[in-house]
Structures are given as C-alpha cells and as structure tokens.
Amino acid sequence: MKDFYGPLIEVSEIIELLRQEQQIKTFSQKVLQKKVIEKAARERGLTVTPEEIQAVGDQLRREKRLEKAADTIAWLVDQMISVEDLEAGIRDRLLTQKLAEHLFSKEVNKIFVQNKLQYDQIILYQIVVAKPQLAQELFYQIQEGEISFFDAAHFYDIDENRRHLCGCEGKVYRWGLKPDIAVAVFSAQPGEVIRPIQTERGYHLFLVEKFLPAELTLERYQEILHNMFNEWLANEVNYLLYNAKV
C-alpha cells in the first residue's frame, strides 16, 4: 500500500478521515460510477486511444505552463501522482465523454426544442428593498426620471454585493426565476421598469436590459448532454446498489 508524504500518512488514514468528514459516500459513489462507465463503454466497444490521451495531456501542460519535462515531473511530484495516474485520469474523462455522446448526442436537439423557452435568457437588473412604501416610491421616482434605476440600486438595495454592482444580476435563465417573476420580466420591454413584486426576500423592482433568445450553442449542448448522462448514471448506480442488496 502506497504511503503519502513518505511514512507520515498512510492510505488507511486518508480513508478514516474521509469517514470522519462524511465524505466517504461521495467518493464511494465515484468508484461505482467509474465501474458503470467502464462496463457500459466496454459493452458498446468504446475505447480511448493513446493519441487522444497525448493530445489532452499536451493541452494540460500548455495550460499549466509546464514547458519542460522537468516542469512536468515537478508538478506531478507536487500532486503526488505518477504519469500513469495522470494518463488514467485523462482516459477516464475522455471515455465518459465518449459514452455520453454515444448514448445521448441524438437526443440533445430534441430536448432543446422541447424546452426551448426554458433556455431563453435575459440580462437582468433588480433592486430589493425591505418595505413596500420604499419600493413604490423608488418605482415612481425612476419613472419620473428623478433617479436612475442603477443609482437607486446602488443606494437602497438590501444586498451589499448588488449595491456595488448597481443591481446587475447578469444573464439569467427563465427557469432560474420564480414563475410569477419570469412572466413579468419576460413580458416586459427592454428598459422598462417593472412594478414592485413581493417575495419572501422583500420587494423587488426589475429592469430588463436585453433579451437573449435560446440558441443551441456548444456550451448549452454540453450542458444538456451532461444533464442527461448524469441522470442515466445515477439510475445505473442505484440499480447496481439495489442488486447488490438483493
């Protein structure tokens, strides 16, 4: 059994600490996921070539600025892994991606079309205050041009971080909003200030800067693909655990 930091730490001690930190289940799940992926890939004839591993390894070295072989060796030593460990990890990630593509790539477009509205985004600003009277007063002052939405957010929002950002929430998905708020903001015109809406957090004023209609970008494709794959993987692990108990 391999020691870490020479004789100072043994693998058994790491396992014991994982138990004490309530992380042993998480890592056990990862082991089971790996077994499921290996079996499913093998049944479908999916493999990873040395050339594919080398390409990802080269990219990793560029990202970490490991320009010389000595730099790479020093980094591996610091990470307490071998070249073989690194290559095995790269292989596992590539195999997982290949399996996900094999199982679900043809379904991604259908899922996107079925849920297209949920992938719509807006660039959103909001102000949250504690009292309805203040929310209503700010709404009228912004409408009359007595104060800008951004200045109002900077001075009155209850959240310090949002005050610094002058109310900017950035890009927000439709599904990331409560249904009544989503209806209100996605029905508004860009630049329109929406009347105060009450939630458990307080009284909200919203301003939509821009609508971003849903597109099946590479990033969203990967997001949908991985969601489908992770759901499948969780079901397969649960099935494996169920059969082990029977």
Side-chain angles (χ1 to χ4, degrees):
M1 184 173 288
K2 182 178 178 181
D3 290 337
F4 294 85
Y5 292 115
L8 295 178
I9 304 176
E10 295 185 355
V11 172
S12 59
E13 293 177 292
I14 293 175
I15 294 174
E16 183 61 28
L17 182 60
L18 288 174
R19 293 184 188 279
Q20 294 171 3
E21 296 289 334
Q22 296 93 49
Q23 295 187 43
I24 194 71
K25 180 178 179 180
T26 299
F27 284 90
S28 297
Q29 288 276 337
K30 289 181 181 295
V31 172
L32 293 176
Q33 289 171 0
K34 177 178 169 65
K35 289 179 181 289
V36 167
I37 291 168
E38 291 279 356
K39 181 175 181 293
R42 187 168 57 251
E43 291 172 348
R44 292 162 176 79
L46 302 176
T47 60
V48 177
T49 67
E51 291 76 18
E52 290 171 324
I53 295 173
Q54 181 68 45
V56 175
D58 290 343
Q59 180 182 351
L60 177 66
R61 283 186 283 273
R62 287 192 296 271
E63 290 173 354
K64 296 189 175 296
R65 302 181 184 276
L66 304 174
E67 299 175 1
K68 301 176 183 178
D71 296 333
T72 301
I73 293 171
W75 180 80
L76 290 170
V77 170
D78 182 63
Q79 298 298 310
M80 294 191 294
I81 60 175
S82 66
V83 174
E84 291 75 20
D85 294 330
L86 177 64
E87 292 179 346
I90 292 172
R91 174 193 170 276
D92 288 348
R93 291 191 293 275
L94 289 173
L95 191 64
T96 298
Q97 180 66 25
K98 283 192 175 187
L99 180 59
E101 293 277 356
H102 181 87
L103 292 174
F104 299 113
S105 61
K106 295 180 181 178
E107 301 295 317
V108 170
N109 189 68
K110 181 170 70 175
I111 295 297
F112 173 73
V113 171
Q114 290 173 348
N115 299 278
K116 191 172 182 180
L117 281 180
Q118 294 304 313
Y119 293 109
D120 284 340
Q121 290 179 291
I122 50 176
I123 299 177
L124 184 66
Y125 287 77
Q126 77 163 315
I127 305 168
V128 185
V129 295
K131 297 181 179 180
Q133 297 89 345
L134 177 58
Q136 199 66 46
E137 182 181 345
L138 289 174
F139 175 74
Y140 288 126
Q141 286 182 354
I142 294 168
Q143 291 285 86
E144 294 298 323
E146 297 175 14
I147 189 173
S148 73
F149 188 98
F150 315 108
D151 284 341
H154 181 67
F155 290 119
Y156 296 104
D157 199 291
I158 61 176
D159 182 83
E160 181 179 359
N161 185 58
R162 200 163 42 242
R163 286 202 300 273
H164 291 321
L165 297 174
C166 295
C168 182
E169 295 285 1
K171 294 180 181 179
V172 178
Y173 282 110
R174 184 190 294 266
W175 54 259
L177 299 168
K178 290 188 173 185
D180 57 333
I181 293 176
V183 169
V185 298
F186 277 90
S187 300
Q189 296 297 317
E192 177 186 352
V193 181
I194 299 167
R195 286 182 175 276
I197 298 175
Q198 182 181 4
T199 73
E200 68 281 358
R201 293 165 54 199
Y203 296 84
H204 302 244
L205 296 172
F206 293 99
L207 171 68
V208 178
E209 180 181 288
K210 186 177 181 182
F211 288 94
L212 304 170
E215 293 182 67
L216 188 56
T217 61
L218 179 59
E219 180 181 1
R220 186 159 291 123
Y221 170 88
Q222 291 294 339
E223 176 189 337
I224 296 171
L225 181 72
H226 289 151
N227 287 342
M228 297 174 71
F229 179 75
N230 288 336
E231 182 178 350
W232 170 85
L233 186 57
N235 289 334
E236 291 295 309
V237 168
N238 288 336
Y239 179 76
L240 191 64
L241 289 170
Y242 174 79
N243 284 341
K245 295 176 182 177
V246 175

